[in-house]
Amino acid sequence: MKKNKILFIINIVIIAAVLILNYFYQSNNFDFTLKCICSGGFAALGILNFLYMLKTKQDNIPFHLTLCLGIFFAMLGDIMIKFSFVAGAAVFAVGHIFFFVAYCFLQKIRKADIIIGGGIFLAGTLFLILCPLLEFDPTFFRIVCIVYALVISMMLGKAVGNFIRKKNIFTFLLAIASFLFFFSDLMLVFDWFIGLWSWTDHACMGTYYPSLCISAIAMLFYKKD
């Protein structure tokens, strides 16, 4: 129990550091070095918590491993997207697939998960196709966004479905983290492909880092069914 409390305190300290650095990152014209430090922070948190779960032989290690991989690939995508939108989006998509698989280790995929995720994807696709404010240059970026929308929509749908079927702090944290990740990516689309509002990049990063931090600390709230 004492080790759990110490680990929880370490988690809170790292999360606080990431969120504070996120403020300075945005205040310093989105400095790339600070961005890498922030992303490294939540990745380290995910790895730390996974290693603890592994060392203490907790239940459902496949869940903790795939969740950790999702967090790690989010960090990689965060770095890659600076150099290539397509490469960054691809790495992020791999991360979302890991998140989705992790959620499936908690509960088998159900019809409701597909319906929820499909509804979110349909709304997102209609927005990407029909919104007159969106400008994709080159045009195939629209296809990249639609494919990406499918992956993240199914991830969010699965997280929400899990929470609906089993309501507790653990599934709630994962659902909130997934929603924040989805919202962050929506703000990224606003920023990159509409570009009319100065607040969208701040909204993107202001929800992105909390989403990954929540995903990482959620491991500590896992309980076997």
Side-chain angles (χ1 to χ4, degrees):
M1 183 65 68
K2 184 177 180 181
K3 290 182 178 179
N4 287 343
K5 290 181 179 179
I6 293 174
L7 183 60
F8 183 76
I9 292 172
I10 292 173
N11 271 250
I12 296 300
V13 170
I14 294 176
I15 290 173
V18 170
L19 297 182
I20 291 171
L21 287 172
N22 183 27
Y23 170 79
F24 286 105
Y25 156 61
Q26 296 184 54
S27 300
N28 287 274
N29 198 30
F30 296 89
D31 179 78
F32 184 65
T33 300
L34 287 174
K35 179 181 185 181
C36 292
I37 294 173
C38 290
S39 299
F42 68 65
L45 191 65
I47 294 171
L48 173 66
N49 290 346
F50 168 67
L51 291 177
Y52 175 80
M53 298 298 164
L54 190 63
K55 183 179 180 180
T56 55
K57 299 180 180 180
Q58 299 291 319
D59 295 308
N60 206 344
I61 290 300
F63 159 74
H64 297 295
L65 174 60
T66 47
L67 185 68
C68 180
L69 288 172
I71 293 170
F72 183 76
F73 271 84
M75 178 200 68
L76 292 181
D78 207 19
I79 296 171
M80 289 293 295
I81 202 166
K82 175 178 174 60
F83 305 102
S84 168
F85 174 77
V86 175
V91 174
F92 268 125
V94 172
H96 291 313
I97 291 172
F98 276 121
F99 280 119
F100 176 79
V101 172
Y103 300 160
C104 289
F105 278 123
L106 296 174
Q107 299 178 26
K108 292 181 179 180
I109 190 166
R110 309 288 176 82
K111 183 177 180 181
D113 303 329
I114 298 175
I115 292 174
I116 296 170
I120 297 170
F121 172 62
L122 177 60
T125 300
L126 290 174
F127 169 73
L128 291 170
I129 293 175
L130 301 177
C131 180
L133 298 176
L134 289 168
E135 296 182 5
F136 294 95
D137 185 20
T139 54
F140 79 88
F141 277 5
R142 189 192 304 270
I143 297 175
V144 173
C145 288
I146 290 174
V147 173
Y148 183 86
L150 173 62
V151 177
I152 194 170
S153 295
M154 296 311 297
M155 178 201 76
L156 176 57
K158 181 58 180 159
V160 172
N162 285 357
F163 173 68
I164 290 174
R165 283 187 295 274
K166 190 173 182 61
K167 296 180 176 66
N168 55 44
I169 184 63
F170 171 66
T171 56
F172 175 74
L173 287 174
L174 292 179
I176 289 295
S178 298
F179 172 76
L180 290 175
F181 211 149
F182 181 91
F183 180 82
S184 174
D185 284 339
L186 178 61
M187 292 300 101
L188 182 66
V189 170
F190 280 21
D191 185 50
W192 279 48
F193 303 113
I194 295 180
L196 295 178
W197 308 290
S198 60
W199 53 266
T200 52
D201 49 357
H202 293 285
C204 172
M205 303 313 299
T207 51
Y208 172 72
Y209 286 110
S211 73
L212 272 302
C213 288
I214 293 172
S215 294
I217 199 173
M219 289 189 210
L220 304 185
F221 292 88
Y222 173 80
K223 289 184 179 181
K224 185 178 180 180
D225 292 341

